[in-house]
Amino acid sequence: MSSSSSASTLGIDIGGTKIETALVDASGAIQARHRHPTNARQGARHVLEGIATCVEECLSQSAGEAVAAGVGVAGQVDAESGVVRSAPNLGWTDVPLQPHLHDALGLPVTVTNDVRAVTWGVWRHGAGRSIDDLVVVFVGTGIGGGVVSGGQVLAGHRGLAGELGHTTIMPYGRACHCRNRGCWEAYAGGWALEERAQEAVRTDPDAGAGLLDRAGGAVEDITGRTVHAAFEEGDPLAKRLVDATAEYLGLGLVGVVNAFNPQRVVMGGGMIDGHPQYVDRAAGVVRRRALGAAVTDLEVVASDLGGQAGVVGAATVAHPAHRAGGPRPAPAPAH
């Protein structure tokens, strides 16, 4: 058996469309990796079976072994019990994920929110390495976050801290997928950009002709990708939508920066990876609107983990050396 400092752990990232598993060593390097469709509509039991299959295929690619497994799932996770209280993109409510995987894999299993897992990966192995006051914001379909304060990843009373996407930026604003209105996610998340684009085309079909044409003539088929592709080609409506999204991203970050006073903010996720200009544009809003003292030496940078952030983060959460507060590597430079 490997020592805790050199052991490898499994990272399992459960998304709405795919399960991804990787065997990750203590330095954050991926030794083996496998993907498997989630097929969430077939129910939680089918997804759990798919996780076990994905892990088996991953481990078959490497001579290494895992001493533990970490799982990141988009939703609210009770850290103490490992029960997924709510995961809307999976259709899950009160699914005992940790107990099931512990039995299925025969390994210690840690379950957490997907972006909190990413926060561990960014802090230990990515653009936030060794920054003791750090905020991680990932923008994909929704917005998730994690906070490192004073060298500790904040968990909250029930392990639910970091739901930054559900902070309110517009009182009585747009309906969110949670029970609130005006959430940051409801303005700047990928699903919100899609909704805003569709509404704009319905309101002004002439201005939306370019987007509608790119979507094959069906308003409901306009997506964030449609908007960004049109933006790159100079479409005026797409430009207004992207400009507004950048402003909304910045407005949400203003509250986060004022609340937590981080040294560095690391932004990632599908929207950011595909369109990194959002980072500088959101940072500009923060510098104009946040407290002056809070932005004096603030750095806002893009994540450097790319598409492996989820599995590396999940594996990091479970690594015994990291969980025990072991030594950290030298700081990563700002980007």
Side-chain angles (χ1 to χ4, degrees):
M1 183 68 68
S2 302
S3 69
S4 65
S5 62
S6 61
S8 295
T9 49
L10 283 165
I12 303 170
D13 186 26
I14 306 174
T17 60
K18 72 179 186 305
I19 301 160
E20 188 159 8
T21 298
L23 185 66
V24 181
D25 69 19
S27 72
I30 292 177
Q31 300 173 309
R33 190 172 182 176
H34 187 73
R35 289 184 178 183
H36 189 83
T38 306
N39 296 323
R41 291 184 179 180
Q42 297 185 36
R45 181 175 294 277
H46 183 85
V47 175
L48 295 173
E49 291 171 353
I51 294 170
T53 298
C54 193
V55 167
E56 182 179 348
E57 291 292 333
C58 176
L59 292 177
S60 71
Q61 301 173 28
S62 172
E65 61 179 13
V67 299
V71 186
V73 58
Q76 289 76 55
V77 179
D78 186 318
E80 185 175 338
S81 65
V83 172
V84 179
R85 294 301 182 195
S86 175
N89 63 338
L90 296 172
W92 285 6
T93 300
D94 293 332
V95 173
L97 184 57
Q98 190 276 338
H100 179 91
L101 290 183
H102 174 74
D103 290 343
L105 304 179
L107 294 170
V109 175
T110 302
V111 179
T112 190
N113 169 269
D114 59 343
V115 183
R116 190 168 304 109
V118 165
T119 299
W120 273 93
V122 167
W123 184 38
R124 296 298 197 181
H125 303 300
R129 192 157 63 245
S130 290
I131 300 295
D132 282 345
D133 292 283
L134 172 74
V135 171
V136 176
V137 175
F138 265 51
V139 187
T141 302
I143 296 178
V147 179
V148 179
S149 182
Q152 298 290 325
V153 178
L154 300 186
H157 174 56
R158 298 296 294 181
L160 303 179
E163 290 288 353
L164 303 180
H166 296 292
T167 54
T168 301
I169 65 168
M170 298 283 184
Y172 314 109
R174 299 178 63 85
C176 188
H177 290 170
C178 71
R179 63 181 183 176
N180 194 19
R181 303 188 71 89
C183 290
W184 188 16
E185 178 177 303
Y187 285 85
W191 67 262
L193 174 58
E194 180 177 302
E195 282 192 0
R196 291 190 292 109
Q198 292 176 7
E199 290 170 6
V201 172
R202 291 189 178 102
T203 300
D204 189 344
D206 290 337
L211 289 178
L212 195 59
D213 182 63
R214 286 175 177 81
V219 174
E220 62 272 18
D221 289 338
I222 295 173
T223 66
R225 289 186 177 183
T226 310
V227 175
H228 287 121
F231 170 80
E232 295 296 336
E233 296 176 10
D235 183 273
L237 177 57
K239 182 179 185 303
R240 291 200 299 273
L241 289 163
V242 169
D243 288 348
T245 300
E247 185 78 9
Y248 293 140
L249 283 170
L251 290 174
L253 280 182
V254 168
V256 170
V257 167
N258 286 344
F260 297 106
N261 185 210
Q263 176 184 347
R264 188 175 295 174
V265 174
V266 177
M267 300 183 70
M271 284 250 302
I272 304 300
D273 293 344
H275 308 280
Q277 71 269 16
Y278 279 128
V279 176
D280 287 341
R281 297 183 68 180
V285 177
V286 172
R287 298 191 191 287
R288 293 194 303 271
R289 303 187 62 150
L291 294 170
V295 300
T296 300
D297 56 359
L298 174 70
E299 301 163 341
V300 182
V301 304
S303 172
D304 56 359
L305 291 181
Q308 65 185 31
V311 288
V312 169
T316 305
V317 168
H319 198 283
H322 293 157
R323 297 300 287 166
R328 288 179 284 162
H335 299 285

